[in-house]
Amino acid sequence: MTRMRRWPYTFAMALSLLVGAAAVIPSLCLDLPLRDPDGFLGPSYIRLPLLALGFIGGGLLVEAVRRSGWRNLSGSLVDVAKKEWNTHRLLCIGAGLLSFYLCYVAYRNLKSVLPVVRDGTLYDRQLLHLDYWLTGGHNPAVVLHDVLGTDVMASLLSIAYLAYLPLIPISLGAVLVLSRNHAIGAWYATTLCLNWVFGVISYYLLPSVGPAFSNPEAYRALPDTGVSQLQDSLISTRMDYLSNPFGSDSIQGVAAFASLHVSVTFAAALFMTRTKQKPAIRAAAWIFFGVTIIATLYFGWHYLLDDVAGMVIGWASVTLAGWVTGHRRKRQSPVGPTTESGLTAEFDREVTDPVNESAPVPILEVTAHDRAAADPVLEAAEPDLEMTDLDSETTGPTPVQR
């Protein structure tokens, strides 16, 4: 039982089961079927195993190439699989993907039944008035159209906005597979799970559809892009669902407050910063977050308050996820070196595996002469930041040789 409490994925798995049960309740009460949101790889029983195998295969390939290059790749792959890919590591990767997926499916179903549960309740008019008040009587989207233009910039922002859809699961797979610290992967997976949960709660607190759907005239000047096609598809699906919620096979996907695009990209950037990833990775994450904010306003997905609330959700998700996975922030924490994969081992010294935190540490009898000679060593005698989780699980504390 103690090991389960200390396992960094315990909270994420419990949360996914809880929010999954929450999605079942309206389904039973309203007699609405639960639906699996199909992706580009098909249904979940095909998509999830394929994603898991793809991430694991990619991780094996990266490590093998990093060790021995492209020569003798097959032998290096076998060596890496034997030495580093034990059952516990595979279990942690599977737990991260499964908890993320369960929370996402529950989130999509709870979002879908929102118009039925909160029938006739929308706050778009109040949110739009707040936008005008905050910008001195101007529509933020129209201001962006005038400043940035509606030709090339529309296409660029569309590409960036749509890139969110594959990049988030890819980033999760990268953190789970490339980080040898299981607790780091658990932190990121739990962060994304909390984003889905907090996001769907915000949908029910302040139902809205967004300016592009409540005030489409302001966006007529925009050219046809991938975003405009997605908006047309979403509004068509919503109308089909609302015409017959009990018989429709569609999943309704329109909700504005709060912006999950903003919350997830902000959470990802904040996570990369707090775990002290390579500067290039941190910079890319923050730039992507900034572009996402502009795109949500430019295309009319969200109001200003939606984006502010999204940042609050992102911050809360990273902070709470860090706390439940054993990452207590310190006032002064040393910067750890970065591994070749770009993911640091900053927290290896304390939470390489919270299960092993209770491992007994041998007490050594040290003479005054030994203490005087060893003080500089003992002050820095912490586990090597490059040590993998596999090493921390299979080897105990190493006694000091006298």
Side-chain angles (χ1 to χ4, degrees):
M1 193 68 180
T2 301
R3 289 179 65 87
M4 282 301 298
R5 285 200 306 267
R6 292 176 179 267
W7 189 43
Y9 285 95
T10 298
F11 181 86
M13 293 301 298
L15 178 66
S16 64
L17 294 176
L18 180 63
V19 72
V24 172
I25 293 175
S27 175
L28 294 176
C29 294
L30 301 174
D31 196 26
L32 293 171
L34 287 173
R35 297 177 177 88
D36 177 26
D38 287 350
F40 64 96
L41 291 177
S44 61
Y45 59 86
I46 295 177
R47 183 169 68 253
L48 196 59
L50 283 179
L51 289 174
L53 290 174
F55 288 143
I56 292 172
L60 282 170
L61 181 62
V62 169
E63 183 63 26
V65 172
R66 190 170 60 201
R67 286 190 175 191
S68 59
W70 293 98
R71 297 179 180 179
N72 193 28
L73 183 59
S74 59
S76 182
L77 284 170
V78 173
D79 184 60
V80 169
K82 288 181 178 179
K83 291 183 178 179
E84 297 199 17
W85 288 80
N86 60 5
T87 303
H88 184 245
R89 186 173 185 180
L90 293 174
L91 176 63
C92 288
I93 293 173
L97 293 174
L98 182 61
S99 59
F100 169 86
Y101 179 75
L102 290 176
C103 284
Y104 177 72
V105 171
Y107 153 80
R108 287 295 306 274
N109 277 274
L110 287 169
K111 182 180 181 180
S112 181
V113 300
L114 173 62
V116 178
V117 177
R118 298 278 277 159
D119 184 25
T121 304
L122 290 174
Y123 290 91
D124 287 274
R125 184 171 59 86
Q126 293 88 337
L127 290 170
L128 183 60
H129 287 170
L130 180 61
D131 273 6
Y132 276 93
W133 181 78
L134 290 173
T135 56
H138 301 284
N139 186 325
V142 175
V143 172
L144 288 174
H145 297 167
D146 293 339
V147 173
L148 301 177
T150 57
D151 295 323
V152 176
M153 188 55 67
S155 299
L156 295 177
L157 288 175
S158 174
I159 294 172
Y161 187 87
L162 296 176
Y164 164 94
L165 301 174
L167 280 180
I168 295 306
I170 289 174
S171 70
L172 173 63
V175 173
L176 291 176
V177 170
L178 298 180
S179 176
R180 301 175 185 179
N181 185 332
H182 302 325
I184 293 291
W187 186 359
Y188 192 53
T190 307
T191 293
L192 295 179
C193 290
L194 286 170
N195 269 277
W196 305 134
V197 174
F198 290 151
V200 79
I201 291 173
S202 70
Y203 292 159
Y204 280 81
L205 290 176
L206 211 63
S208 55
V209 295
F213 302 115
S214 64
N215 184 32
E217 293 78 15
Y219 306 91
R220 300 293 188 196
L222 294 178
D224 184 42
T225 61
V227 163
S228 63
Q229 294 171 13
L230 177 60
Q231 288 175 332
D232 291 342
S233 173
L234 286 174
I235 195 61
S236 175
T237 301
R238 178 181 172 87
M239 298 307 295
D240 177 71
Y241 177 85
L242 292 179
S243 66
N244 184 14
F246 305 98
S248 174
D249 293 330
S250 303
I251 295 184
Q252 192 280 138
V254 177
F257 181 88
S259 172
L260 267 291
H261 268 67
V262 169
S263 77
V264 172
T265 54
F266 180 78
L270 184 60
F271 171 83
M272 299 302 172
T273 300
R274 288 192 178 178
T275 52
K276 297 178 174 61
Q277 305 305 324
K278 283 183 175 180
I281 294 177
R282 299 200 301 266
W286 284 112
I287 291 172
F288 186 63
F289 158 69
V291 172
T292 298
I293 284 187
I294 295 174
T296 61
L297 300 173
Y298 184 92
F299 291 111
W301 289 107
H302 294 288
Y303 303 98
L304 288 173
L305 187 61
D306 300 345
D307 288 351
V308 173
M311 287 186 280
V312 173
I313 288 175
W315 172 84
S317 298
V318 173
T319 303
L320 179 57
W323 189 80
V324 299
T325 54
H327 301 88
R328 274 63 166 182
R329 294 196 69 194
K330 294 184 177 181
R331 292 182 180 178
Q332 294 180 348
S333 90
V335 179
T338 307
T339 63
E340 295 180 18
S341 65
L343 297 170
T344 65
E346 169 68 19
F347 297 98
D348 280 352
R349 62 165 61 96
E350 292 185 39
V351 288
T352 296
D353 189 347
V355 175
N356 292 331
E357 285 181 354
S358 58
V361 178
I363 300 176
L364 304 176
E365 294 182 3
V366 182
T367 65
H369 174 74
D370 292 335
R371 186 181 297 109
D375 272 348
V377 177
L378 293 176
E379 289 178 1
E382 294 178 303
D384 185 358
L385 291 178
E386 295 294 331
M387 182 178 68
T388 66
D389 284 342
L390 178 61
D391 297 331
S392 67
E393 293 161 10
T394 56
T395 61
T398 304
V400 175
Q401 298 297 327
R402 298 180 55 187

